[in-house]
Amino acid sequence: MTTTLETEVLIIGGGVTGAGVMRDLALRGIHCVLIDKVDLCAGASGGNHGLLHSGARYVSTDVDAAIECRQENERLKRLAPQCIEATGGLFVGVEGDDVGFAENFPGLCRRAAISCDELTVAEARRLEPQLSDRLVKAYRVPDATVDPFHLALANVDHARLTNGSIYRSHTELLRFDIADSEVRAAVCRDSRTHAPLVIRARQFVNAGGAWAMNIARLAGCRDVDLLYAKGTLLVNHDRMTRHVVNRLRPPGDGDILVPGGTVSLLGTTSTRVENLDQIAPTIEEVDRIVREGAAMIPALAGARYTRAFSRVRPLLQGAGNTSDRAASRGFALMDHASQGLANFCTVTGGKLTTFRLMAEKAADLVAARLGKQQPGTTATVPLPIGDAGRWTEPGAAPRHWYKLNNPADMILCECEMVPQSAVNQIVATAPGEAAPAMSPPGRPKGEFRSAQHAGCLMSLEAISLRSRIGKGPCQGSFCGIRVASYLYDTGYYSDAAGLAYMRDFFDERFKGQRGVIWGAQAAQMELAEALHCGLLGLDALEAD
Amino acid sequence: MAQTAIPTLNFKQAALTLLPPGANFDACLTCGLCSSGCPASGLENMDPRKFIRMAMLGMDEELSTTPWIWCCTLCKRCEYVCPMKIDVSKLVFLARGNWPNDRKPAGIARSCHLTQLGASTSAMGMPPGDFVMIVDDVLEEVRATQPGFAHLQAPMDKHGAHFFVNQNSREPMSEPDEMVPLWKILDLVGADWTYSSKGWAAENFCMFTGDESAWRNVIQQRVDAVNDLGCQVWLNTECGHSYYSMWEGVTRFGLDAHFRMDSLITYYAQWIREGKLPINARWNTQGIKFTVQDPCMIVRKSYGDSIAEDMRFVVRTLVGEDNFVDMQPNRSANYCCGGGGGFLQAGMTDQRRAYGKRKFDQIAATGAAYVLTPCHNCHSQIDDIGHHYGGHYGVVHFWTLMCLSLGILGENERHYLGPDLRALIE
């Protein structure tokens, strides 16, 4: 039997933009459903540096993007401080870097009204002792870091609380029903169970990121023209710096190091790709990133890396651009009127830093088309601090656990120190996965009703996305087993589903480690293999 | 009076200088071998892996103030079993030193204070004159009352003696007759030995306070005392941490020691092999079972398994091959009993006994009637947990059983014997 959902606006794509559109519309009193084929931030939103640009990065290539970044950076720091660490950023030049670029840099920043203070080499190295002794130039800018998972979860949750808008993960769009120049419904299915679902709406928003061109074509629109640029990033085991550190040169490979909690992210590369599937880091990319990063921070050459991942950036095809780095990082909003549709729009391109602005513009169009006059309020209404995304912050779980000082509240993820109580709360209340089977708030922690349908259970990957589980050096090899065992103990998992979740989770984590198997991480991998294949025999688990 | 605040250390930063590359916190596989093999796991809601992860997560305030650092006995079993050889105890030591003196467990701090007061370096504050007098008194009594020992010696400040023998303060202070069996053994093997009126004491609680300069001061005085007498070997009594604090201290502080440092255990084994110490197990007609405690300080932390093998050779010779039952695990993998690291003096009785439960279970599983413990802290702790958990074993020093085997154990030297052992000789 096909389930049918009714809403005012269907948003396709659960990246930060889609989540932002959902919240923006909800705050205007418009009910939405947000769907994603996988889960929140499965694309570029969850696969970037987590850098809240000051704009300085773009002053030489795209002054408009730089100004947008500066404005949104300031807004988000004010409105969503819980998702942001105001680390500050440095731009550093080393011997051999373009002196002319370095000299022009402060002027270019001034043009975009971005604050930029020159530091002496000694001052910079005092701030960041890991910086190279071949440093020749350093500037300080208001870069910061932002947690896209926290951001997306908090946006979605605020929308739910505001007017009951709904987020559904694992909901795959198959086709649109179109009649009389209007999209009437989206025909979908559950990507795990293949259960069909039809979503009827008055307006449809394509926030598919790199997939936006494919989604637009399902609606018969040929005017979304994207380039795909693959970017690869490395996760370092250890936080190397307090500040974001950028190479003082035109954007290139391996020239940004972003601290995030206890780790650092180093990248990126930019390689043109033709399709969106089978995107994986190459050894050559990993080597290049390490080599370039080590020019700024020599310790990166010998550091332990726990993960390498690649995502595809959607770049707008612009006239006259000769390189992908120079292609506009601005965004596009297309109303598709020229394609004969009156209630479908696409918002794509852009960057994490400007997601709110993109969402606002898209919501303006949708609201106008619905005849709603009230303006958006996301530029002034703070993002509420709640439980939705609290466990994605490194250190949040252990501080909570340490403060409670309850020996019965066992740590399940030892790397990031996530206790049972945090897993209970994620499973019971975190947005995204079907919640009806969970204990309502107020019921004793650890008490779950056995879920009725396997499709309703929160998988280990979903729990990981909503917490720090699996993000530490063991990359899930222990906590995957422990969290699953715990959920079996509580009765939340009951059949072979938990085993399959384990296998899928380890597979996903393993993919990220393939590019960095050397040194301590190689020992870690061998241990994981012994556990997962030798002890649990998950490699022999029947395919479902 | 307001307590002094505990300053906050940066543990991750400190690890960079204290731990070598490849065995630093960033090498941790979070496998948990450290924690599962640590008897302090769970105390104060902590364990070694949590310590490392909290350091990596920047939870410096919590780590700086957790009382767990006084439950960790610095036994280094975590490092021993770690596949990456990460030494958490170095950071625990640092954290101990970071606590202001008035916040440190009073028993440990007081013992360190007393150790530094006099020339004896005695943690019980016994002055040199008292030590000399007690040794004289006891010696005089043995000569007068024990047949065959009218000639017994306990040389004091004898220049050029081969062995400088140290002495745990507990014996001269509380149970002076316990010194006698060792004198008899040294006499029997014909050892050229001496006590010293200065720097004679074995114990060093300054090491447990985490105060490196105090640790160094104590060791310096002892090194000076041995150098002054021109002895070739500083011979450590049946005491664990006293050996480690001297052996590690001399290297750590770069002290100029003109002598070797050795444990009495290795000499017991050597003298037996050389036929100088004719002990045997013929006395054990009832097949009384014994196990042995491997003191962390002399086995895992300094000599390694070689001294554990010596110890087993001595025990097997002494009680009979069939009457020796090893604990599992043992040797360098043995569990600390919970008497180390100053835990006995830290005033944390509940935690210490909870820690000791693993040792108690290990001993109970052997079914042994006695635990041989060549370490004073092990001796006291194993005795205490035996009573606390309702065990039925006794705890004895090697010297006691050796003299029993040789038929020369005096009336006043039988305090640690149970009725079964007494029945064999009385």
Side-chain angles (χ1 to χ4, degrees), chain A residues 54-57 59 70 74 89-92 101-119 137-143 248:
Chain A
S54 61
R57 170 75 169 176
V59 290
R70 192 248 303 151
E74 288 164 2
L90 300 179
F91 275 77
V92 299
F101 184 88
E103 295 300 333
N104 288 335
F105 185 74
L108 293 170
C109 286
R110 244 189 329 273
R111 197 163 56 122
I114 296 164
S115 123
C116 172
D117 304 321
E118 179 159 7
L119 303 174
K137 207 81 177 166
Y139 296 101
R140 182 154 55 180
V141 300
D143 283 343
L248 184 57

Side-chain angles (χ1 to χ4, degrees), chain A residues 23-43:
Chain A
R23 172 175 179 251
D24 191 303
L25 289 171
L27 287 171
R28 299 181 207 225
I30 299 168
H31 187 269
C32 318
V33 170
L34 172 70
I35 60 170
D36 195 278
K37 182 170 62 174
V38 183
D39 203 347
L40 293 172
C41 298

Side-chain angles (χ1 to χ4, degrees), chain A residues 326-503:
Chain A
S328 175
R329 295 291 167 91
F331 63 89
L333 173 63
M334 282 162 271
D335 64 13
H336 299 306
S338 67
Q339 306 291 304
L341 287 177
N343 69 339
F344 181 66
C345 67
T346 294
V347 57
T348 188
K351 53 188 86 57
L352 177 58
T353 302
T354 55
F355 90 100
R356 190 211 61 82
L357 181 65
M358 293 166 68
E360 184 179 62
K361 298 292 182 201
D364 283 346
L365 172 65
V366 170
R369 282 175 160 184
L370 286 170
K372 311 258 176 160
Q373 298 309 315
Q374 65 268 56
T377 53
T378 58
T380 51
V381 175
L383 192 65
I385 295 174
D387 287 339
R390 66 181 287 204
W391 304 113
T392 64
E393 184 196 336
R399 281 196 300 273
H400 153 88
W401 165 82
Y402 194 87
K403 218 163 123 192
L404 285 184
N405 192 25
N406 173 11
D409 188 14
M410 191 190 287
I411 295 272
L412 295 176
C413 163
E414 291 277 356
C415 296
E416 296 287 330
M417 304 188 73
V418 185
Q420 290 175 345
S421 56
V423 171
N424 290 350
Q425 197 188 65
I426 290 163
V427 170
T429 66
E433 303 270 331
M438 320 303 160
S439 309
R443 290 272 291 277
K445 283 186 176 166
E447 182 191 314
F448 303 111
R449 265 180 293 155
S450 188
Q452 301 302 307
H453 312 291
C456 292
L457 295 177
M458 194 173 269
S459 68
L460 291 179
E461 284 176 87
I463 295 168
S464 167
L465 188 150
R466 287 154 179 80
S467 67
R468 293 293 302 169
I469 287 171
K471 314 282 171 60
C474 94
Q475 287 289 297
S477 51
F478 284 97
C479 55
I481 300 171
R482 296 176 74 167
V483 173
S485 304
Y486 172 65
L487 292 175
Y488 273 116
D489 283 349
T490 60
Y492 179 70
Y493 290 166
S494 56
D495 50 18
L499 288 173
Y501 290 147
M502 262 197 261
R503 181 199 53 204

Side-chain angles (χ1 to χ4, degrees), chain A residues 238-239 304 414-415 524, chain B residues 12 26 28-29 49 53:
Chain A
D238 200 359
R239 182 170 182 148
R304 175 179 175 187
E414 291 277 356
C415 296
Q524 188 84 62
Chain B
K12 203 176 111 185
D26 68 354
C28 176
L29 307 179
R49 174 170 52 185
R53 290 314 301 168

